[in-house]
Amino acid sequence: MQQNHAVEHQKAELLKDIVYAASDGIVTTFAVVAAVQGGKLAAITVVVLGFANLFADGFSMAVSNYLGTESEKEFLEAEKLRESKYEKPVRNSVVTFFSFVAAGLLPLVPFLDHWSGPRSFRYSFVLALASLFVVGALRSTYTKRNWFFSGLKVLLLGGIAAGIAYAVGFLISSLSIS
């Protein structure tokens, strides 16, 4: 029974890292796309800023996850609150990085060479929203919640963040700051 609890705890911990990193990767990368579109900047700007964000933010999240997990593990051990055999800082950070990058790449795909064109933003928008929905729906595999509402929840929250990024890009562009 104790071993089963440990396996379930590890699944929950990885699920948290995957959902958090994947949804953040999609949202922050699409935020770059939306801000560039709202600011009426060149498509190459999406690619440069998108990939810079993808890898720098993915690495930053992985390092932050590592440090946070390591801190929690050391605190629990120091306070003798419980044996912290579940926390695995390196594993968690690797899962975070790859989840962020894999999911965050999707909104950039329409801007890559042979797809790039006037409809790139629309394709990116659809891929971002569909990806957010899928992340939420897959989450229900472990949470046993309704897959549709779980997907819709992640989609709506991520959509709000994308809308904010678009509005900021549009407003700054409207100010004609040179």
Side-chain angles (χ1 to χ4, degrees), residues 10-164:
Q10 287 181 0
K11 280 184 186 177
E13 192 174 272
L14 287 177
L15 177 65
K16 175 190 67 116
D17 293 338
I18 291 167
V19 170
Y20 177 60
S23 59
D24 191 47
I26 295 164
V27 169
T28 59
T29 305
F30 185 71
V32 169
V33 171
V36 169
Q37 181 71 21
K40 298 177 179 78
L41 302 173
I44 188 64
T45 308
V46 168
V47 175
V48 171
L49 295 179
F51 275 95
N53 170 76
L54 192 62
F55 288 98
D57 200 5
F59 182 76
S60 174
M61 283 189 62
V63 168
S64 297
N65 190 330
Y66 174 84
L67 294 172
T69 304
E70 183 183 58
S71 298
E72 179 183 27
K73 181 178 181 177
E74 289 172 358
F75 170 78
L76 293 173
E77 288 171 351
E79 295 296 315
K80 310 259 188 273
L81 293 175
R82 69 178 163 98
E83 188 179 336
S84 58
K85 61 186 172 197
Y86 304 126
E87 287 80 7
K88 299 197 180 334
V90 172
R91 180 201 62 192
N92 291 27
S93 63
V94 168
V95 166
T96 296
F97 178 78
F98 284 107
S99 297
F100 184 95
V101 171
L105 183 62
L106 295 171
L108 294 176
V109 169
F111 291 91
L112 300 179
D113 193 36
H114 68 281
W115 275 36
S116 189
R119 294 190 179 130
S120 295
F121 179 71
R122 285 188 212 125
Y123 295 146
S124 179
F125 180 73
V126 169
L127 274 172
L129 294 182
S131 302
L132 286 167
F133 183 83
V134 167
V135 167
L138 289 175
R139 176 178 165 252
S140 71
T141 304
Y142 293 98
T143 64
K144 307 302 183 215
R145 305 278 187 202
N146 180 288
W147 68 270
F148 180 78
F149 290 112
S150 186
L152 193 60
K153 182 178 189 177
V154 174
L155 174 122
L156 289 174
L157 294 172
I160 290 169
I164 291 168

Side-chain angles (χ1 to χ4, degrees), residues 38 166-176:
Y166 181 87
V168 168
F170 180 80
L171 289 172
I172 290 174
S173 174
S174 298
L175 296 174
S176 298

